[in-house]
């Protein structure tokens, strides 16, 4: 019986270690690609972390919001970036939840006059985490 217990403990330790590696990978994507791409208006950097079929849904100032990833990235490219505007920008990871090959990252993005709450859905494809869906809402008061 002690061999079974030791084996289960080892499996749990490996799962926890793998989960820490996955959390670190998703954190890197959000901090070094997502936040940086939004802040600098770099649609190529930002686009590199999205699946080509990604859809963006939500609401902004109470109005429904829907775009394909291509339209979203085009908007990022053609607006004045937060960096160039000189206005404050703050991105923060609030939570990351991983189950097998899927994950959700809850993100706060404060820029311009908006305080966005984003939910980014990730899927691990060929060993790489990639965003497959983005939902957002403006929670500004």
């Amino acid at each position: 019986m002690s061999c079974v217990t030791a084996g289960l403990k080892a499996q749990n330790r490996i799962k926890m270690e793998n989960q820490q590696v996955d959390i670190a990978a998703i954190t890197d994507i959000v901090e070094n690609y997502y936040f940086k791409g939004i802040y600098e208006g770099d649609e190529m950097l930002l686009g590199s972390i999205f699946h080509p079929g990604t859809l963006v849904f939500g609401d902004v100032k109470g109005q429904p919001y829907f775009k394909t990833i291509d339209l979203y990235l085009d908007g990022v490219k053609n607006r004045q970036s937060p960096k160039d505007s000189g206005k404050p920008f703050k991105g923060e990871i609030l939570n990351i939840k991983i189950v097998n090959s899927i994950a959700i990252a809850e993100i706060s993005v404060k820029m311009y006059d908006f305080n966005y709450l984003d939910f980014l859905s990730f899927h691990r494809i060929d060993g790489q985490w990639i965003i497959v869906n983005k939902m957002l809402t403006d929670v500004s008061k």
Side-chain angles (χ1 to χ4, degrees):
M1 188 65 124
S2 65
C3 289
V4 171
T5 303
L8 290 175
K9 285 182 182 178
Q11 285 178 346
N12 286 339
R13 189 185 82 250
I14 290 168
K15 276 186 177 180
M16 287 175 52
E17 288 171 0
N18 288 344
Q19 186 148 63
Q20 291 304 314
V21 168
D22 289 335
I23 288 172
I26 290 171
T27 298
D28 178 63
I29 290 166
V30 172
E31 291 178 347
N32 296 310
Y33 294 82
Y34 188 73
F35 291 151
K36 186 175 181 184
I38 291 171
Y39 176 68
E40 295 178 355
D42 186 339
E43 86 282 357
M44 297 298 286
L45 180 67
L46 193 56
S48 71
I49 58 170
F50 284 95
H51 186 276
T54 298
L55 298 176
V56 182
F57 289 96
D59 57 79
V60 178
K61 295 197 183 275
Q63 296 301 308
Y65 183 96
F66 165 76
K67 292 188 177 185
T68 64
I69 193 58
D70 291 335
L71 288 173
Y72 170 74
L73 293 171
D74 192 55
V76 168
K77 178 175 127 179
N78 290 307
R79 67 161 162 72
Q80 184 181 38
S81 71
K83 179 181 179 181
D84 291 341
S85 76
K87 292 188 177 185
F89 175 90
K90 182 179 181 193
E92 180 181 7
I93 298 171
L94 304 175
N95 189 31
I96 296 173
K97 175 74 175 169
I98 300 171
V99 179
N100 297 324
S101 67
I102 63 171
I104 292 285
E106 183 180 356
I107 310 294
S108 171
V109 177
K110 296 177 184 178
M111 57 186 241
Y112 305 118
D113 296 325
F114 298 97
N115 184 12
Y116 292 111
L117 183 60
D118 296 353
F119 293 94
L120 304 175
S121 300
F122 287 81
H123 187 95
R124 187 175 47 232
I125 300 173
D126 296 328
Q128 300 293 316
W129 287 102
I130 189 160
I131 299 170
V132 296
N133 188 52
K134 174 179 174 171
M135 295 192 333
L136 66 109
T137 189
D138 173 25
V139 293
S140 298
K141 302 262 181 194

